[in-house]
Amino acid sequence: MFSFLARFTLAAEARGARPRFGLTDGRVFRDLSSGDSDWSSFVAACHADFSAIEERSAAAPAHAAEDVVLLPPVDDAARIFCVALNYRSHVVEMKRAIPRAPVIFVKPVSAVVAGGAPIGGLQIASFLDYEAELAVVIGAPASAIGEADAPAVVMGATLFNDVTGRDLMFIDPSDRTMPDWFSAKSLDGSSPMGPWILPRARGGDPEALAFEMTLNGEIVQRGAPDDKIFSTAYLISYVSQRVALRPGDVIATGTPTGTGKGRGVPLKAGDRLAVTCREIGRLDNQVR
């Protein structure tokens, strides 16, 4: 079944070629892009009637996986909203109090890389850290919606590694220390996302998926839905009360215990990280 949404280019194309998109089963990519279409419109169409898109993909041009260069499943128009301290186990690990409301920050698209791409950040951060996360992709406009209505705007789920410069997390600009989310979380080419999107219509319900992180083959994080403090539906509602969500926007829902900060082990060049989910697949990257 061609059940995943993917963005990609062809290896034979010149660097900087127009991104393509379509459906994949991980081995073959069906190209559904055209000159007058864009990623957010494709996400919205898949959200509205995924069965129709699947049917249309049967006649679309096909590319073998070895001929494709994956791109992250997010374009330059999207906003990436991230949630700090949303897993109870991670709150304990960081020796913090359970938050009474979601702690949200925005990560620029320039920080995101695809599966297989190198992870940057060591050129400025001395304590680079990983954070395996499940991310939800919005499929329909959503402004000030309630928690009960939030699942209806979910297009699907993808994997995310919210790489963080821990040593850049706090600054002392005057008489007290303050968080510096920008410096810690925005490093160019640092945060993998992908490898593709599993539609909610095909099992990509973010409230039901578990995931794990391996570092050089060793399992260091396991994420389970019942460890969350705020549900995905609550997070969507919360963000939409403040910012009108659009198709293609992403909300990363937080990380569980087992981070490098909690273990006292920073990333080093050559480390290999993989976020895996049985239903979605594997997001594999190496630190540059």
Side-chain angles (χ1 to χ4, degrees):
M1 292 288 289
F2 288 80
S3 296
F4 302 107
L5 282 71
R7 291 179 73 242
F8 57 93
T9 59
L10 299 182
E13 293 180 330
R15 187 171 181 173
R18 177 181 62 84
R20 300 168 181 258
F21 50 80
L23 301 186
T24 184
D25 62 358
R27 300 181 299 274
V28 176
F29 289 72
R30 300 283 189 180
D31 191 343
L32 291 165
S33 53
S34 61
D36 60 350
S37 60
D38 57 48
W39 173 249
S40 61
S41 298
F42 179 63
V43 169
C46 288
H47 175 71
D49 190 348
F50 188 67
S51 294
I53 301 299
E54 280 186 310
E55 186 174 329
R56 184 158 65 91
S57 73
H63 309 288
E66 57 266 28
D67 298 326
V68 161
V69 178
L70 275 175
L71 299 174
V74 61
D75 68 3
D76 290 343
R79 285 81 56 83
I80 303 169
F81 302 93
C82 301
V83 187
L85 299 172
N86 193 39
Y87 278 69
R88 291 176 181 84
S89 61
H90 181 53
V91 172
V92 172
E93 169 184 63
M94 301 300 282
K95 299 178 174 60
R96 303 291 293 273
I98 298 293
R100 292 188 291 269
V103 180
I104 309 288
F105 60 92
V106 178
K107 185 178 285 273
V109 173
S110 57
V112 178
V113 294
I119 294 173
L122 280 179
Q123 72 274 22
I124 183 170
S126 59
F127 197 124
L128 202 65
D129 199 359
Y130 54 83
E131 293 188 11
E133 306 198 17
L134 192 70
V136 60
V137 181
I138 302 300
S143 178
I145 63 171
E147 186 175 355
D149 297 323
V153 304
V154 173
M155 194 280 135
T158 190
L159 300 174
F160 186 54
N161 187 353
D162 178 22
V163 172
T164 303
R166 296 291 184 192
D167 55 304
L168 308 175
M169 191 70 232
F170 295 95
I171 57 173
D172 187 6
S174 54
D175 59 345
R176 63 190 179 96
T177 301
M178 299 177 62
D180 184 3
W181 296 101
F182 165 72
S183 295
K185 299 285 191 176
S186 301
L187 303 177
D188 278 349
S190 63
S191 298
M193 183 186 294
W196 34 61
I197 299 168
L198 174 63
R200 187 165 176 262
R202 296 295 178 268
D205 180 358
E207 303 288 26
L209 298 175
F211 58 94
E212 66 181 28
M213 168 75 87
T214 60
L215 171 60
N216 299 324
E218 175 192 357
I219 297 174
V220 290
Q221 289 188 287
R222 284 192 171 97
D226 60 3
D227 194 16
K228 287 181 185 176
I229 298 168
F230 302 104
S231 70
T232 302
Y234 184 87
L235 295 172
I236 293 170
S237 175
Y238 185 90
V239 174
S240 79
Q241 304 292 330
R242 292 150 177 81
V243 178
L245 293 167
R246 306 184 298 233
D249 285 345
V250 174
I251 300 177
T253 58
T255 198
T257 189
T259 62
K261 176 67 173 178
R263 299 166 67 239
V265 182
L267 290 170
K268 63 183 184 302
D271 281 345
R272 184 166 292 280
L273 296 162
V275 188
T276 60
C277 171
R278 181 174 60 85
E279 295 83 356
I280 298 174
R282 179 181 177 95
L283 178 65
D284 195 329
N285 301 80
Q286 191 168 23
V287 180
R288 179 171 57 208

